[in-house]
């Protein structure tokens, strides 16, 4: 666009020189979307006039921000009709400008080449410096590696020395520990032997005590057996005595029963005689005599049962049966007196059999009443 501006300026100068008068023109700045034809229509001019006024090579190529001279109506026709002679002058000026621009480009190329050479020299210098620095770094690295290797060797030697010292100390400690362990093992063995001996002595003592206890137990058991045998003998003798007593009691009961029976028979005879006498003597007293006979029968039956149960002994005992009537202890309620025995026996016979005669008949049939 610089070239176009230069050309425009040259053409403008040529036009001014050829016409000899100043041309009227407006300067506009190209905006986005502007075209030469739109600008010509807007400012009431022609595309050719704008092209010539600005020396445009291509009217279809303008850039945003570019300054364009827009000729007005009063000089548009004059500019279009400029003499063709001015074109040659413009071409000469353009050629001069092109040569000038070519010289400038060549100078720029020479400057660029010189700068490239200077850059290459600088890069070579930098490369040499980098190589020197790398060499120095390599030398330093080698020196550091040597120093580090020496330090490592010294450290390894020191570590080996310390390791050897530790190994010697460990060997000494192990030897001391082994010696202590052997001493402890010997002491433990002696202690175990002492404990075993003490345990054996304790076991022997316990065995002796156990034997003594067994002997005592055997003696106590023998005494208990002898005592049990003596008790058994005493119980046997007591049982024999009890059997004898029972036999005597039974014999006494039988004798008492025989006596009671004899008395009953005698009483019956007496009653019969009395009844005969009373019946002959007084018929009015017949009922009274019958009652007396009944009472006598009750008395005789009662006496017969007493004789068969206890032989008339109010202190007789046979297990839970107590007294002359051999009543259960639960009937007597702890009162074993003769009066209570008679009273309870009468109540028992009256409630169970109605009278003593019936009780005697039951005893004769069943052996108890």
């Amino acid at each position: 666009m610089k070239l176009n501006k230069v050309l425009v300026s040259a053409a403008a100068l040529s036009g001014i020189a050829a016409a000899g008068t100043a041309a009227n023109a407006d300067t506009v700045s190209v905006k986005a979307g502007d075209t030469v034809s739109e600008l010509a229509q807007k400012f009431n001019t022609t595309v050719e006039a704008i092209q010539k006024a600005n020396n445009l090579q291509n009217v279809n190529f303008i850039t945003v921000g570019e300054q364009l001279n827009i000729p007005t109506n009063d000089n548009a026709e004059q500019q279009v009709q400029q003499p063709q002679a001015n074109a040659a002058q413009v071409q000469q000026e353009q050629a001069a400008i092109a040569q000038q621009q070519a010289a400038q480009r060549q100078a720029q190329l020479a400057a660029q080449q010189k700068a490239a050479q200077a850059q290459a020299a600088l890069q070579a210098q930098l490369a040499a410096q980098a190589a020197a620095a790398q060499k120095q770094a390599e030398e330093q690295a080698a020196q550091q590696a040597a120093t580090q290797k020496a330090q490592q060797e010294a450290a390894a030697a020191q570590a080996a020395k310390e390791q050897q010292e530790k190994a010697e100390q460990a060997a000494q400690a192990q030897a001391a520990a082994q010696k202590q362990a052997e001493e402890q093992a010997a002491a433990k063995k002696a202690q175990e032997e002492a404990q075993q001996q003490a345990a054996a002595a304790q076991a022997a003592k316990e065995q002796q005590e156990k034997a003594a206890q067994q002997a005592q137990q055997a003696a106590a058991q023998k005494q208990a057996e002898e005592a049990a045998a003596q008790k058994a003998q005493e119980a046997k003798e007591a049982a024999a005595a009890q059997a004898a007593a029972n036999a005597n009691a039974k014999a006494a009961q039988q004798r008492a029963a025989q006596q009671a029976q004899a008395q009953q028979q005698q009483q019956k005879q007496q009653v019969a005689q009395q009844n005969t006498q009373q019946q002959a003597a007084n018929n009015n007293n017949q009922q009274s005599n019958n009652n007396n006979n009944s009472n006598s029968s009750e008395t005789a039956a009662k006496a017969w049962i007493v004789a068969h149960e206890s032989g008339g002994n109010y202190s007789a005992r046979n297990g839970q049966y107590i007294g002359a009537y051999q009543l259960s202890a639960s009937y007597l309620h702890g009162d074993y007196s003769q009066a209570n025995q008679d009273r309870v026996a009468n109540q028992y016979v009256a409630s169970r059999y109605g009278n003593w005669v019936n009780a005697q008949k039951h005893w004769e049939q069943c052996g108890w009443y």
Side-chain angles (χ1 to χ4, degrees):
M1 298 312 297
K2 291 181 179 180
L3 178 60
N4 290 335
K5 290 180 179 180
V6 174
L7 294 175
V8 169
S9 299
L13 291 175
S14 298
I16 292 171
T21 60
N24 295 325
D26 293 331
T27 302
V28 296
S29 179
V30 177
K31 298 186 294 298
D34 288 343
T35 62
V36 177
S37 61
E38 289 176 352
L39 292 174
Q41 186 177 3
K42 180 178 180 182
F43 290 98
N44 196 17
T45 183
T46 62
V47 175
E48 291 80 1
I50 294 173
Q51 182 180 10
K52 289 183 178 181
N54 294 280
N55 195 23
L56 298 176
Q57 298 294 326
N58 187 354
V59 295
N60 295 321
F61 181 73
I62 56 176
T63 59
V64 177
E66 184 178 355
Q67 302 296 322
L68 295 178
N69 293 320
I70 307 300
T72 57
N73 290 332
D74 56 352
N75 61 2
E77 294 180 356
Q78 183 179 358
Q79 290 179 1
V80 174
Q81 296 175 359
Q82 286 179 355
Q84 295 295 329
N86 292 332
Q89 185 177 357
V90 171
Q91 290 178 356
Q92 292 177 357
E93 291 176 356
Q94 290 177 352
I97 291 170
Q99 291 177 357
Q100 185 178 0
Q101 291 176 350
Q104 290 177 355
R105 285 195 298 272
Q106 187 174 3
Q108 290 176 355
L109 290 173
Q112 291 176 357
Q113 186 176 5
K114 185 176 181 181
Q117 292 176 354
Q119 183 69 22
L122 179 60
Q123 290 179 354
Q125 184 179 359
L126 292 174
Q129 291 177 357
Q134 185 177 1
K135 184 177 180 180
Q136 185 178 1
E138 291 175 353
E139 292 176 353
Q140 290 178 355
Q143 186 177 0
Q144 289 178 357
T147 303
Q148 186 175 4
K149 183 177 181 180
Q151 291 176 353
Q152 290 177 352
E153 291 177 352
Q158 182 66 25
K161 183 178 179 182
E162 293 176 355
Q163 189 69 24
Q164 185 176 1
E165 292 176 355
K166 288 181 179 180
E168 293 176 355
Q169 292 176 358
Q172 293 176 358
Q174 185 176 3
Q178 186 175 0
K179 183 178 180 181
Q180 184 177 3
E182 291 175 354
E183 292 176 354
Q184 290 178 354
K188 184 177 181 181
K189 185 177 180 180
Q191 184 178 2
E192 290 177 353
E193 291 177 353
Q195 290 177 354
Q196 290 176 357
Q197 292 176 358
Q202 182 66 24
K205 183 179 179 181
E206 291 177 355
Q207 189 68 25
Q208 291 177 357
E209 293 176 353
K210 187 175 181 181
Q213 290 178 358
Q214 289 177 353
Q216 292 176 358
Q217 291 176 357
Q221 186 175 1
K222 185 177 181 180
Q223 291 178 358
E225 290 176 354
E226 292 176 352
Q230 184 177 358
K231 287 183 179 180
Q233 183 64 29
E234 291 176 355
K236 185 177 181 181
E237 293 175 355
Q242 183 66 32
N246 291 336
N248 294 330
K250 187 174 181 180
Q253 288 178 358
Q254 290 176 355
R255 287 193 299 272
Q258 290 175 357
Q259 291 176 0
Q261 188 175 5
Q263 289 176 359
Q264 184 179 6
Q265 186 67 28
Q266 185 179 0
Q267 288 176 358
K268 285 181 180 182
Q269 291 176 359
Q270 290 177 357
V271 169
Q273 291 176 0
Q274 289 176 0
N275 288 335
T276 303
Q277 292 174 359
Q278 290 293 330
Q279 186 176 4
N282 192 1
N283 292 327
N284 293 328
N285 293 327
Q286 184 176 1
Q287 183 67 34
S288 176
N289 290 329
N290 291 331
N291 290 332
N292 289 330
N293 289 330
S294 176
N295 290 332
S296 297
S297 298
E298 287 291 298
T299 302
K302 183 177 181 181
W304 188 90
I305 289 176
V306 169
H308 283 77
E309 288 291 333
S310 65
N313 184 6
Y314 281 88
S315 300
R317 287 178 177 269
N318 184 15
Q320 64 173 344
Y321 301 104
I322 298 173
Y325 303 94
Q326 289 293 288
L327 296 171
S328 177
S330 62
Y331 287 101
L332 297 173
H333 300 289
D335 185 1
Y336 303 144
S337 65
Q338 181 177 351
N340 188 54
Q341 290 184 31
D342 291 338
R343 182 179 59 80
V344 172
N346 290 330
Q347 291 177 352
Y348 172 75
V349 169
S351 63
R352 186 176 180 89
Y353 301 103
N355 53 52
W356 284 99
V357 174
N358 292 332
Q360 180 182 351
K361 290 179 180 179
H362 184 274
W363 199 105
E364 290 175 347
Q365 292 176 358
C366 300
W368 56 273
Y369 77 106

